[in-house]
Amino acid sequence: MYAIVLINAWALAITFAQRAPDWLTIWIPAFISVVCCVRVASWWRSVSAVPDAKTAHKALTRTNQFSFILTAALVAWSLSLYPYGDAYMRGNIAFFVGITGLGVIICLQQLPSAAFIVAAVINISFVTYFSLAGIASFLGMAVNLVLVSVALLLVVTVQYRHFSAAVTARAKLETANHENERLANLDSLTGLSNRRQFFARLEQDFSTAKGRRLAVGLIDLDGFKPVNDLYGHTAGDSLLYEVGQRLLAFVGDRGHVARLGGDEFAFIVDDCPDNEALIGLGEEICAALRTPFVLSDSTVQISGSIGFSVYPELAEDVHQLYERADYALYKGKESNRGHALLFSKEHVAAIEQNQQLEQLLSKADLDAELTVFFQPIVNIQSGKTVSFEALARWNSPVLGNVSPAVFIPVAERIGLISELTCTLLRKALATATTWPEEVGLSFNLSTHDISSSDDVATIVGIILSSGMDPRRLDLEITETAMMYDFAQAKAAIEIFKILGCGMALDDFGTGYSSLSQLHALPLTKIKIDRSFVSGLHKNPASYKIVKSLLALSSDMDLDCVIEGVETSEELEALKKLGGVLVQGYYYSAPVAGSEIARFLPRSEMDRKAG
């Protein structure tokens, strides 16, 4: 627009250069040029800026005002040249006013108010001046300019409507995009950030940390699944929402809270305090989660475990920061459930050890390196050994003897547990077939072993091909395995019961199963965890718990094995409580299959051998 004005203005000035004074042909065009250049420079500086509504309104108002001033000045200047020209030169004035005015109107079609101002100034001045001049041709040109201006203004009006509609549509689209982006980063249940937004925020905070301490805390709820199963998913959803609100209340302005999925939450702590204060925050959160939640139809109580990791001490990047918090959470749930644990240098060593174990176990000759040890289960009323529990042992060529507490979790993590189970079960059954018929075998199954119908079918095939009567075999599962997928666990147990196997629930009382679910399972035996037996004779609480569990097993018509008996005092206390089947170091540590004979009557072993 300014180019049209300046080119036409200087063309007209040159036409009158020899006739009109310098102040009309040089100084006024020069001044107009300076003003136009200043406006262009101002526009150029602001071209990339996005003004707010107030600033934009001021700028448009100034444009309207300037369009009037500039147009009036140009018309006045061009008409002031009229007395100095001949007919030809006066025609140039009319041409200048018409072409410049129409060009400016077109350029201002996105601001119709300014276009109308320009049209009004030009047409009123042009028509008035040339009407008074009394020249018919000029009057005709004026009328023609008015008609063309009206036509252009109609076009400008229509185009502005389209432009306005396009701007409105774009604004709506941007609003919709912003809303979609917000929803894509939002957990619809709790209103917290979701997993995607959490990692985006973590990346952002990490990039700006510049050596500043940054902590990630991962939270896993303990006991959430039973709430879902007992009270329904609506109650479970309400509980998750309330958990999110409590986390927001404690983390607040100190960080960013998100729900990663299921019953997993996470938070980022910016400007992380020292380790002691961080653990203190974690323990406050854990204590808050232990406070009962009052829902619409029920009051429930759960707990939560937290794993922390801190940058830059023990994490070099975002991935490592998250993974190490996850590892701390895993170890915390394993050793001190319901509390906070900070990833440490000891965990680094443990991870390196686990990586070595994973590599060695994945390459191991399981048939050659795995062996089965057996621990007797004794009837304390008759003093006879009634069965043996099979326990895994791994003799690695590199590491030597590795505890099952170490390598079994590794095997589960790398997906090798099914192979371990099959190898160990074959060996245990092969040994048990040499025992007297009245001596049974107990064998532990993992969560993975009963979570797949294919794995269950494989185990059934091994039992049938062993030649041992399935009625002599008790298969043990934990409460954790049962709660992982209750329906699948029940189906697996029913298959084993049809086969004739006994089914025992191991570590009873340490998990989250409900009595209604236990009653629904076709169990034949429960095993009381050693944590209730240790110091039984001098711990009234443990004494009452074991007494209650024995009564419960009797009422449910289940046999009961008491694990972890290590002293004569514990044994005597169990006898007084009416316990029958016990297992523990008081009788024997786990022994190799070759040592089984010393726990059985000699005549029975001789008869079996014969």
Side-chain angles (χ1 to χ4, degrees), residues 46-282:
S46 62
V47 69
S48 60
V50 180
D52 56 31
K54 186 176 181 181
T55 303
H57 184 267
K58 286 182 178 179
L60 293 175
T61 301
R62 285 196 302 269
T63 301
N64 283 336
Q65 294 169 348
F66 184 73
S67 64
F68 174 80
I69 294 170
L70 182 60
T71 305
L74 287 171
V75 170
W77 169 71
S78 62
L79 293 178
S80 66
L81 293 171
Y82 187 84
Y84 299 100
D86 55 23
Y88 168 77
M89 297 171 69
R90 289 171 181 173
N92 281 343
I93 294 174
F95 180 79
F96 165 76
V97 173
I99 292 299
T100 303
L102 296 178
V104 171
I105 290 172
I106 293 173
C107 290
L108 291 173
Q109 62 180 309
Q110 275 78 40
L111 187 58
S113 56
F116 276 89
I117 290 171
V118 170
V121 172
I122 288 176
N123 284 280
I124 292 173
S125 302
F126 197 82
V127 170
T128 302
Y129 192 88
F130 284 104
S131 295
L132 295 175
I135 302 174
S137 60
F138 282 3
L139 181 60
M141 292 173 63
V143 173
N144 185 57
L145 178 61
V146 171
L147 295 175
V148 173
S149 296
V150 170
L152 277 180
L153 289 175
L154 290 174
V155 172
V156 166
T157 301
V158 173
Q159 289 299 320
Y160 179 73
R161 288 174 184 170
H162 293 316
F163 172 73
S164 179
V167 171
T168 302
R170 179 176 178 178
K172 290 181 179 179
L173 179 61
E174 288 180 351
T175 301
N177 288 339
H178 288 319
E179 180 64 13
N180 289 337
E181 184 177 358
R182 187 184 72 84
L183 293 175
N185 293 313
L186 186 71
D187 176 59
S188 58
L189 178 60
T190 62
L192 302 175
S193 296
N194 60 13
R195 188 181 193 90
R196 173 185 172 184
Q197 177 63 14
F198 170 77
F199 283 106
R201 176 64 180 268
L202 183 58
E203 289 276 3
Q204 177 184 341
D205 289 354
F206 191 89
S207 65
T208 58
K210 300 186 184 304
R212 202 167 26 89
R213 280 170 59 90
L214 179 69
V216 167
L218 299 185
I219 304 172
D220 188 73
L221 302 182
D222 304 315
F224 172 73
K225 191 174 186 302
V227 173
N228 243 355
D229 294 340
L230 289 174
Y231 301 105
H233 289 286
T234 300
D237 290 348
S238 298
L239 176 58
L240 291 174
Y241 175 80
E242 294 298 331
V243 168
Q245 295 307 300
R246 288 194 187 180
L247 292 178
L248 279 176
F250 273 88
V251 177
D253 297 333
R254 289 178 285 188
H256 181 78
V257 183
R259 178 182 173 227
L260 302 184
D263 60 348
E264 294 179 289
F265 292 81
F267 59 96
I268 304 167
V269 182
D270 299 312
D271 291 323
C272 174
D274 58 48
N275 291 346
E276 184 176 348
L278 184 63
I279 290 296
L281 171 64

